[in-house]
Amino acid sequence: QVLASAPGPTVVRRAPTMVDFQLDGNSEADINAVATKCLLGVAAVVALGFALDVLRARWRLEPEVAKVSNDDSGARDMSISIWAISLLLASYALLVPGLCSVLFSFNVMLDFGLLQFGLGPGGGLDKAPATTESMVGLVHLLRSTDCSLGATAVVLYAMVVPGLKVFLLLLGELLRRRHAVASSLCIHLVQSISKWACPDMFAYILLTYLVRGLNHPRMLQADMRLDLGFTCFSIFCVGSTVASLGIRSGDEASGFGLCRRLPKCLLADRILLLTVVLSVAFAAAFWVGVTIPVMSLRLQLHDLFAPKGPLPTEIMGIPIEPVLENLQVPEKANADVSLLVALGTLVSWIQQGEINSFIALIMIAGFVVSLTLLDMAVLVAAAVRHSC
């Protein structure tokens, strides 16, 4: 829908001009420089927080302690790590640039030598402007191209969830001294929903692969670049998620005690067998999930022509659609991506000097693949220990 959003004339009779195919936004060198500074800055803030925590413990300077009374369990100390608060503040400092800076720039163009057709918004005969948007601009673009569901998803993950996390953290801190259970629930909710801000980042990573996969020089040119908005928002997602896990809840036993007792009450001696069966099912589903395509991009030829799309139906009385079909443009404009293929491609892009590809690799290889496997391995180990 985005590629076919710009209107165009029905019949064109004029001499064509050469069109430069390019992307807008920041240059790759500028993106790498700013991204490196952001990563080093966040790392320095966390290191300083750890150092202060170590000094506080060595000098016997106790952290902020709140005595919380409970009808059943007496008093419990709650501490706040300086590194967690520092990382949280540094992450949220990058949220606004992540929303307002250029998120990506892409361009798709048909090139027949003397005739060029831009397929993006504002494109057409001899016009191939790059589509360059921030996160906020993307919401407007999706709404203008009748993708209200996509716009709602971006707003939910990129704006509502970060705001909800701040609200729950502040509420949890306000309730620490008086309502331990409610405070613990707020902290646990933040830790549970913190990663919900990340899904759209994975979509942009995979979309970059798909758009670049459309590139078949010289007839079909396509390119996409992730910009500083992606850099800042990705660091925010990872940093705020890790920081939320470093904030301790005041009454961990009371809020989710029932859930923790369920395995002992319901499964007893059969927990290991159940874990093994579920682990085998997980392994099979996981392998299929990383090897088959998770996202696809197709060019709907009939949507590209006027009045719906940017291309004229005829040039000098010659219908264009049959020509494009004979040149197999729809077949060339097909791209699929699996997680396994995306990982290999990201490595090659890193070798070309794209630091955003390094961040993307960390997010997919580290958080999607490695931590998922580690989580399952820990569950199996816990089941074995429980059954012994």
Side-chain angles (χ1 to χ4, degrees):
Q1 291 177 340
V2 170
L3 294 179
S5 62
T10 302
V11 179
V12 174
R13 300 176 183 273
R14 65 184 181 87
T17 58
M18 300 304 293
V19 178
D20 291 331
F21 180 83
Q22 60 184 4
L23 299 177
D24 293 332
N26 297 288
S27 67
E28 197 67 54
D30 291 340
I31 294 173
N32 290 344
V34 175
T36 301
K37 293 177 182 178
C38 290
L39 290 171
L40 292 177
V42 172
V45 168
V46 175
L48 179 61
F50 270 118
L52 292 177
D53 280 330
V54 171
L55 290 176
R56 185 175 61 177
R58 181 175 298 178
W59 294 343
R60 298 182 182 276
L61 295 177
E62 294 297 328
E64 178 187 348
V65 175
K67 298 298 183 179
V68 180
S69 60
N70 187 282
D71 294 339
D72 298 325
S73 58
R76 185 180 183 90
D77 290 345
M78 295 179 294
S79 60
I80 302 177
S81 300
I82 298 178
W83 73 264
I85 298 300
S86 301
L87 179 57
L88 188 67
L89 293 176
S91 300
Y92 269 89
L94 294 174
L95 176 59
V96 174
L99 294 176
C100 300
S101 300
V102 176
L103 176 64
F104 60 74
S105 179
F106 76 86
N107 203 349
V108 182
M109 183 179 75
L110 286 172
D111 187 355
F112 299 110
L114 295 178
L115 297 176
Q116 292 88 30
F117 300 96
L119 303 185
L125 179 62
D126 299 333
K127 295 185 298 181
T131 300
T132 304
E133 298 291 350
S134 65
M135 192 84 70
V136 176
L138 177 61
V139 174
H140 294 293
L141 177 63
L142 292 173
R143 286 180 176 174
S144 65
T145 54
D146 297 326
C147 288
S148 299
L149 182 60
T152 302
V154 173
V155 171
L156 175 63
Y157 290 128
M159 303 174 191
V160 176
V161 170
L164 181 60
K165 287 161 58 177
V166 172
F167 172 77
L168 289 175
L169 283 174
L170 293 177
L171 183 61
E173 291 302 314
L174 291 175
L175 296 176
R176 271 184 184 269
R177 299 179 183 275
R178 297 182 179 179
H179 304 283
V181 176
S183 175
S184 176
L185 180 60
C186 289
I187 301 300
H188 280 291
L189 284 175
V190 170
Q191 294 171 346
S192 298
I193 70 173
S194 186
K195 55 184 175 291
W196 289 0
C198 300
D200 48 347
M201 293 293 101
F202 298 118
Y204 304 139
I205 296 170
L206 298 176
L207 182 61
T208 301
Y209 176 93
L210 293 175
V211 173
R212 293 183 178 183
L214 297 180
N215 192 46
H216 291 83
R218 173 178 178 184
M219 184 174 61
L220 181 60
Q221 300 184 46
D223 196 8
M224 180 171 176
R225 180 170 59 219
L226 296 173
D227 215 300
L228 291 175
F230 172 86
T231 306
C232 295
F233 199 86
S234 296
I235 298 175
F236 159 76
C237 289
V238 176
S240 61
T241 299
V242 174
S244 67
L245 297 177
I247 299 177
R248 302 174 186 175
S249 58
D251 195 355
E252 297 181 357
S254 61
F256 297 89
L258 177 61
C259 295
R260 293 174 177 174
R261 289 192 294 267
L262 281 178
K264 297 181 180 179
C265 298
L266 300 180
L267 304 178
D269 298 334
R270 298 183 180 180
I271 188 171
L272 180 59
L273 177 61
L274 179 61
T275 302
V276 171
V277 173
L278 293 177
S279 298
V280 172
F282 160 82
F286 183 84
W287 175 251
V288 173
V290 298
T291 54
I292 66 174
V294 294
M295 188 177 291
S296 300
L297 184 61
R298 299 289 183 265
L299 183 64
Q300 302 294 335
L301 197 59
H302 60 274
D303 289 336
L304 295 178
F305 294 97
K308 188 175 181 180
L311 300 185
T313 57
E314 296 180 355
I315 293 181
M316 301 178 65
I318 301 175
I320 299 180
E321 185 169 0
V323 175
L324 297 182
E325 290 177 349
N326 291 333
L327 293 174
Q328 298 182 336
V329 171
E331 287 75 11
K332 290 182 173 63
N334 280 345
D336 302 282
V337 59
S338 66
L339 292 179
L340 204 58
V341 171
L343 289 175
T345 305
L346 287 172
V347 172
S348 66
W349 292 345
I350 293 172
Q351 295 172 349
Q352 298 173 13
E354 296 185 10
I355 196 169
N356 271 343
S357 295
F358 171 75
I359 296 174
L361 182 67
I362 294 299
M363 294 188 69
I364 294 183
F367 294 96
V368 175
V369 178
S370 299
L371 287 184
T372 303
L373 293 174
L374 180 61
D375 180 66
M376 202 64 191
V378 171
L379 289 175
V380 172
V384 171
R385 182 178 179 181
H386 175 80
S387 62
C388 293

